[in-house]
Amino acid sequence: MRLTERYQQAVDELFAKVRATQTENIIKAAEIMADAVAGGHKIWLGEICHGIQDDLLVRGGGPILYREYHRNEDFDKLEAGDVVIVSSVSGRTKHVVDMAWDAIEKGVKIIAFTSMEYATQVDPIHPSGKKLYEFATHTVDNCAPAAEAMIDVEGIEAKFGAASGIASDYIMWCITATMVEKLMEKGITPGIYKSANFPGGPEYNNDYLTPRFEKLGY
């Protein structure tokens, strides 16, 4: 089997594992987020697996209510009841764990993406002695294998094909879809961006969606 086909098969299996094991966690994360929005709080996207958050920020088909989170710039803007989504595949990435720990102490809810297979095989480095999943408000397993990669390739020592990024993007959109449903059930219609490169998109986003978001927060 060609490496491309092996990679495609591995991704199919990864997504199937996410659906089989993480559906309840996805629903719970979406409920936390929907409740926060309904309560007038904000949803912040921190760094998710090397930039996955960019696939959901100011994106055609995505909700306007997501805000990008940078610790040095935005920490003082966090308020108790806000939600920050962060990611550490190993569960011990120093700047991520530090940021999540400080935010939790501020009354912010942390939704963490991690690989439980990976995180349970490494030692913590935070002074608390804890890894991300051990203190986050809620954790979703991105189902990546320990040490990240999925495929053995003959003649290459390291495994090939990172799992956490593609899994986290899939999970994040599943959470988003569920959050939209939960908000609609509460009578809240979240603003969704139109593509800025399609006729009518910029006018809709700039003249209707943005003023509405500034007024309502969603």
Side-chain angles (χ1 to χ4, degrees), residues 29-169:
E31 289 174 341
I32 292 170
M33 293 157 63
D35 288 344
V37 173
H41 303 293
K42 301 178 180 67
I43 309 296
W44 302 84
L45 304 186
E47 183 180 322
I48 303 173
C49 286
H50 307 282
I52 294 304
Q53 70 279 0
D54 288 338
D55 196 37
L56 293 109
L57 291 162
V58 195
R59 186 68 184 274
I64 192 173
L65 60 84
Y66 286 148
R67 293 169 165 85
E68 188 168 16
Y69 181 78
H70 299 283
R71 184 184 184 190
N72 292 337
E73 300 172 15
D74 299 317
F75 182 76
D76 290 340
K77 300 176 187 176
L78 293 180
E79 299 176 349
D82 285 356
V83 176
V84 178
I85 302 173
V86 298
S87 167
S88 168
V89 186
S90 67
R92 68 174 201 162
T93 308
K94 188 178 187 305
H95 73 277
V96 175
V97 176
D98 287 346
M99 183 275 290
W101 184 269
D102 292 345
I104 283 276
E105 291 191 328
K106 199 172 183 178
V108 172
K109 296 179 179 179
I110 294 292
I111 294 176
F113 287 13
T114 197
S115 162
M116 292 302 296
E117 181 179 328
Y118 196 163
T120 54
Q121 295 186 41
V122 296
D123 294 326
I125 58 177
H126 190 265
S128 68
K130 295 183 182 296
K131 288 169 279 188
L132 186 59
Y133 73 91
E134 295 178 298
F135 67 86
T137 309
H138 181 67
T139 299
V140 182
D141 186 354
N142 61 31
C143 297
E148 179 70 67
M150 299 182 285
I151 303 169
D152 290 306
V153 180
E154 186 175 354
I156 300 177
E157 181 176 348
K159 286 190 174 185
F160 170 80
S164 64
I166 194 166
S168 295
D169 197 26

Side-chain angles (χ1 to χ4, degrees), residues 162-213:
S164 64
I166 194 166
S168 295
D169 197 26
Y170 181 59
I171 290 168
M172 194 64 224
W173 278 105
C174 289
I175 289 174
T176 301
T178 309
M179 178 189 70
V180 168
E181 288 182 332
K182 297 296 181 182
L183 287 171
M184 296 291 283
E185 289 171 3
K186 296 175 181 293
I188 296 171
T189 302
I192 305 295
Y193 281 110
K194 290 186 177 181
S195 174
N197 291 305
F198 197 78
E203 292 79 10
Y204 177 84
N205 295 337
N206 295 329
D207 299 338
Y208 170 71
L209 201 62
T210 299
R212 179 182 181 273
F213 170 67

